[in-house]
Short mmCIF file of all heavy atoms in Angstrom, two decimals:
data_model
loop_
_atom_site.label_atom_id
_atom_site.label_comp_id
_atom_site.label_asym_id
_atom_site.label_seq_id
_atom_site.Cartn_x
_atom_site.Cartn_y
_atom_site.Cartn_z
N ASP T 174 -6.02 -17.19 -2.69
CA ASP T 174 -5.11 -17.20 -3.78
C ASP T 174 -4.62 -15.87 -4.29
O ASP T 174 -3.78 -15.84 -5.23
CB ASP T 174 -5.69 -18.10 -4.89
CG ASP T 174 -5.90 -19.54 -4.60
OD1 ASP T 174 -4.95 -20.12 -3.96
OD2 ASP T 174 -6.92 -20.10 -4.91
N GLU T 175 -5.25 -14.82 -3.80
CA GLU T 175 -4.90 -13.47 -4.30
C GLU T 175 -3.54 -13.03 -3.84
O GLU T 175 -3.29 -13.08 -2.60
CB GLU T 175 -6.01 -12.52 -3.89
CG GLU T 175 -5.76 -11.07 -4.39
CD GLU T 175 -6.87 -10.15 -3.79
OE1 GLU T 175 -7.34 -10.24 -2.68
OE2 GLU T 175 -7.25 -9.14 -4.63
N LEU T 176 -2.68 -12.61 -4.71
CA LEU T 176 -1.41 -12.08 -4.36
C LEU T 176 -1.47 -10.54 -4.34
O LEU T 176 -1.90 -9.93 -5.26
CB LEU T 176 -0.28 -12.61 -5.25
CG LEU T 176 -0.05 -14.07 -5.25
CD1 LEU T 176 1.03 -14.46 -6.23
CD2 LEU T 176 0.30 -14.58 -3.78
N LEU T 177 -0.97 -9.93 -3.26
CA LEU T 177 -1.00 -8.48 -3.21
C LEU T 177 0.41 -7.98 -2.76
O LEU T 177 1.03 -8.60 -1.96
CB LEU T 177 -2.00 -8.04 -2.10
CG LEU T 177 -3.51 -8.30 -2.46
CD1 LEU T 177 -4.25 -8.27 -1.13
CD2 LEU T 177 -4.04 -7.40 -3.46
N THR T 178 0.82 -6.88 -3.39
CA THR T 178 2.08 -6.19 -2.71
C THR T 178 1.54 -5.25 -1.64
O THR T 178 0.32 -4.98 -1.59
CB THR T 178 2.77 -5.35 -3.78
OG1 THR T 178 1.85 -4.28 -4.15
CG2 THR T 178 3.13 -6.19 -5.05
N TRP T 179 2.49 -4.85 -0.77
CA TRP T 179 2.12 -3.96 0.33
C TRP T 179 1.62 -2.70 -0.21
O TRP T 179 0.67 -2.00 0.45
CB TRP T 179 3.24 -3.82 1.39
CG TRP T 179 3.25 -4.97 2.28
CD1 TRP T 179 4.04 -6.14 2.31
CD2 TRP T 179 2.31 -5.25 3.38
NE1 TRP T 179 3.73 -7.06 3.25
CE2 TRP T 179 2.69 -6.46 3.99
CE3 TRP T 179 1.23 -4.46 3.87
CZ2 TRP T 179 1.96 -6.99 4.98
CZ3 TRP T 179 0.45 -5.09 5.01
CH2 TRP T 179 0.88 -6.35 5.46
N ASP T 180 2.17 -2.19 -1.24
CA ASP T 180 1.66 -1.06 -1.93
C ASP T 180 0.19 -1.18 -2.40
O ASP T 180 -0.69 -0.38 -2.21
CB ASP T 180 2.48 -0.60 -3.07
CG ASP T 180 3.70 0.29 -2.72
OD1 ASP T 180 3.82 0.55 -1.53
OD2 ASP T 180 4.51 0.68 -3.64
N GLU T 181 -0.08 -2.32 -2.98
CA GLU T 181 -1.41 -2.64 -3.50
C GLU T 181 -2.39 -2.70 -2.34
O GLU T 181 -3.59 -2.19 -2.45
CB GLU T 181 -1.43 -3.89 -4.35
CG GLU T 181 -0.83 -3.83 -5.61
CD GLU T 181 -0.62 -5.13 -6.29
OE1 GLU T 181 -0.60 -6.13 -5.66
OE2 GLU T 181 -0.43 -5.15 -7.55
N ILE T 182 -1.99 -3.22 -1.21
CA ILE T 182 -2.83 -3.30 0.02
C ILE T 182 -3.21 -1.85 0.38
O ILE T 182 -4.46 -1.52 0.65
CB ILE T 182 -2.11 -3.97 1.12
CG1 ILE T 182 -2.11 -5.44 0.82
CG2 ILE T 182 -2.95 -3.85 2.44
CD1 ILE T 182 -1.25 -6.33 1.79
N HIS T 183 -2.17 -1.02 0.41
CA HIS T 183 -2.50 0.37 0.75
C HIS T 183 -3.34 1.17 -0.27
O HIS T 183 -4.29 1.91 0.08
CB HIS T 183 -1.17 1.24 0.98
CG HIS T 183 -0.52 0.91 2.30
ND1 HIS T 183 0.13 -0.31 2.56
CD2 HIS T 183 -0.47 1.60 3.45
CE1 HIS T 183 0.59 -0.27 3.76
NE2 HIS T 183 0.23 0.80 4.40
N PHE T 184 -3.09 0.92 -1.63
CA PHE T 184 -3.87 1.41 -2.53
C PHE T 184 -5.37 1.02 -2.48
O PHE T 184 -6.26 1.95 -2.67
CB PHE T 184 -3.47 0.90 -3.99
CG PHE T 184 -2.05 1.49 -4.36
CD1 PHE T 184 -1.24 0.85 -5.35
CD2 PHE T 184 -1.53 2.56 -3.68
CE1 PHE T 184 -0.04 1.17 -5.70
CE2 PHE T 184 -0.14 3.00 -4.07
CZ PHE T 184 0.55 2.32 -4.93
N CYS T 185 -5.64 -0.17 -2.22
CA CYS T 185 -7.00 -0.59 -1.98
C CYS T 185 -7.62 0.14 -0.90
O CYS T 185 -8.83 0.59 -0.95
CB CYS T 185 -7.07 -2.16 -1.69
SG CYS T 185 -6.81 -3.22 -3.10
N LEU T 186 -6.98 0.29 0.22
CA LEU T 186 -7.52 0.94 1.41
C LEU T 186 -7.79 2.48 1.07
O LEU T 186 -8.75 3.17 1.44
CB LEU T 186 -6.57 0.96 2.62
CG LEU T 186 -6.52 -0.44 3.21
CD1 LEU T 186 -5.33 -0.47 4.25
CD2 LEU T 186 -7.88 -0.86 3.94
N ALA T 187 -6.87 3.10 0.35
CA ALA T 187 -6.98 4.45 -0.06
C ALA T 187 -8.13 4.72 -0.97
O ALA T 187 -8.86 5.67 -0.77
CB ALA T 187 -5.70 4.99 -0.75
N ARG T 188 -8.38 3.77 -1.92
CA ARG T 188 -9.56 3.95 -2.87
C ARG T 188 -10.80 3.85 -1.97
O ARG T 188 -11.83 4.56 -2.27
CB ARG T 188 -9.57 2.80 -3.93
CG ARG T 188 -8.51 3.19 -5.07
CD ARG T 188 -8.77 2.19 -6.18
NE ARG T 188 -8.35 0.88 -5.90
CZ ARG T 188 -7.09 0.38 -6.05
NH1 ARG T 188 -6.06 1.17 -6.46
NH2 ARG T 188 -6.88 -0.95 -5.82
N ALA T 189 -10.89 2.90 -1.09
CA ALA T 189 -12.02 2.72 -0.27
C ALA T 189 -12.35 3.92 0.62
O ALA T 189 -13.48 4.28 0.92
CB ALA T 189 -11.91 1.48 0.61
N ALA T 190 -11.25 4.56 0.99
CA ALA T 190 -11.37 5.73 1.83
C ALA T 190 -11.58 7.06 0.93
O ALA T 190 -11.80 8.15 1.61
CB ALA T 190 -10.12 5.97 2.65
N GLY T 191 -11.53 7.01 -0.31
CA GLY T 191 -11.78 8.14 -1.12
C GLY T 191 -10.59 9.18 -1.01
O GLY T 191 -10.81 10.32 -1.31
N VAL T 192 -9.33 8.65 -0.93
CA VAL T 192 -8.22 9.56 -0.94
C VAL T 192 -7.07 9.17 -1.85
O VAL T 192 -7.09 7.91 -2.33
CB VAL T 192 -7.66 9.61 0.56
CG1 VAL T 192 -8.61 10.18 1.48
CG2 VAL T 192 -7.16 8.22 0.97
N GLU T 193 -6.24 10.01 -2.07
CA GLU T 193 -4.99 9.61 -2.89
C GLU T 193 -3.97 8.94 -1.93
O GLU T 193 -3.71 9.42 -0.79
CB GLU T 193 -4.36 10.91 -3.53
CG GLU T 193 -5.09 11.47 -4.71
CD GLU T 193 -5.22 10.46 -5.82
OE1 GLU T 193 -4.15 9.84 -6.09
OE2 GLU T 193 -6.30 10.38 -6.43
N PRO T 194 -3.43 7.83 -2.30
CA PRO T 194 -2.58 7.05 -1.39
C PRO T 194 -1.05 7.58 -1.39
O PRO T 194 -0.29 7.02 -2.02
CB PRO T 194 -2.63 5.64 -2.03
CG PRO T 194 -2.76 5.88 -3.48
CD PRO T 194 -3.63 7.11 -3.61
N ALA T 195 -0.90 8.70 -0.61
CA ALA T 195 0.45 9.17 -0.48
C ALA T 195 1.24 8.18 0.36
O ALA T 195 0.88 7.79 1.45
CB ALA T 195 0.32 10.51 0.25
N ILE T 196 2.41 7.73 -0.12
CA ILE T 196 3.23 6.75 0.47
C ILE T 196 4.69 7.15 0.57
O ILE T 196 5.18 7.76 -0.44
CB ILE T 196 3.06 5.42 -0.26
CG1 ILE T 196 1.65 4.70 0.03
CG2 ILE T 196 4.14 4.39 0.14
CD1 ILE T 196 1.43 3.52 -0.86
N VAL T 197 5.27 6.95 1.60
CA VAL T 197 6.76 7.09 1.86
C VAL T 197 7.36 5.68 2.11
O VAL T 197 6.83 5.02 3.14
CB VAL T 197 7.22 8.03 2.77
CG1 VAL T 197 8.65 8.00 3.08
CG2 VAL T 197 6.78 9.52 2.34
N HIS T 198 8.29 5.20 1.41
CA HIS T 198 8.92 3.88 1.71
C HIS T 198 10.22 4.10 2.57
O HIS T 198 10.97 4.97 2.36
CB HIS T 198 9.42 3.25 0.35
CG HIS T 198 8.23 2.86 -0.47
ND1 HIS T 198 7.99 3.41 -1.70
CD2 HIS T 198 7.17 1.83 -0.27
CE1 HIS T 198 6.88 2.85 -2.16
NE2 HIS T 198 6.48 1.93 -1.33
N ARG T 199 10.16 3.23 3.67
CA ARG T 199 11.34 3.14 4.56
C ARG T 199 11.68 1.74 4.83
O ARG T 199 10.80 0.91 4.83
CB ARG T 199 11.06 4.00 5.91
CG ARG T 199 10.84 5.43 5.70
CD ARG T 199 12.30 6.13 5.46
NE ARG T 199 12.25 7.49 5.36
CZ ARG T 199 12.08 8.19 4.21
NH1 ARG T 199 12.10 7.52 3.12
NH2 ARG T 199 12.18 9.51 4.21
N SER T 200 12.87 1.47 5.14
CA SER T 200 13.28 0.11 5.40
C SER T 200 12.68 -0.41 6.70
O SER T 200 12.31 0.41 7.56
CB SER T 200 14.82 -0.01 5.54
OG SER T 200 15.33 0.57 6.67
N SER T 201 12.40 -1.70 6.84
CA SER T 201 11.98 -2.28 8.10
C SER T 201 12.93 -1.84 9.24
O SER T 201 12.33 -1.65 10.36
CB SER T 201 11.87 -3.78 8.00
OG SER T 201 10.95 -4.06 6.96
N ALA T 202 14.18 -1.79 8.99
CA ALA T 202 15.16 -1.51 10.06
C ALA T 202 14.92 0.01 10.52
O ALA T 202 14.93 0.31 11.63
CB ALA T 202 16.57 -1.62 9.65
N ASP T 203 14.68 0.88 9.52
CA ASP T 203 14.44 2.28 9.87
C ASP T 203 13.16 2.50 10.64
O ASP T 203 13.14 3.22 11.65
CB ASP T 203 14.39 3.08 8.54
CG ASP T 203 15.74 3.46 7.92
OD1 ASP T 203 16.78 3.16 8.53
OD2 ASP T 203 15.76 3.80 6.69
#
């Protein structure tokens, strides 16, 4: 029942890895 955005999924992984979650957004087509 947990709803996650794709940014939140990456944030969770970054916290677990002990890093800052640097993210660049690009379209699926790009």
Side-chain angles (χ1 to χ4, degrees):
D174 290 319
E175 181 180 37
L176 295 179
L177 297 161
T178 67
W179 278 103
D180 274 359
E181 286 170 339
I182 290 169
H183 283 78
F184 295 158
C185 286
L186 290 169
R188 284 192 291 271
V192 297
E193 287 297 318
I196 288 174
V197 170
H198 294 111
R199 290 288 182 266
S200 72
S201 297
D203 284 347

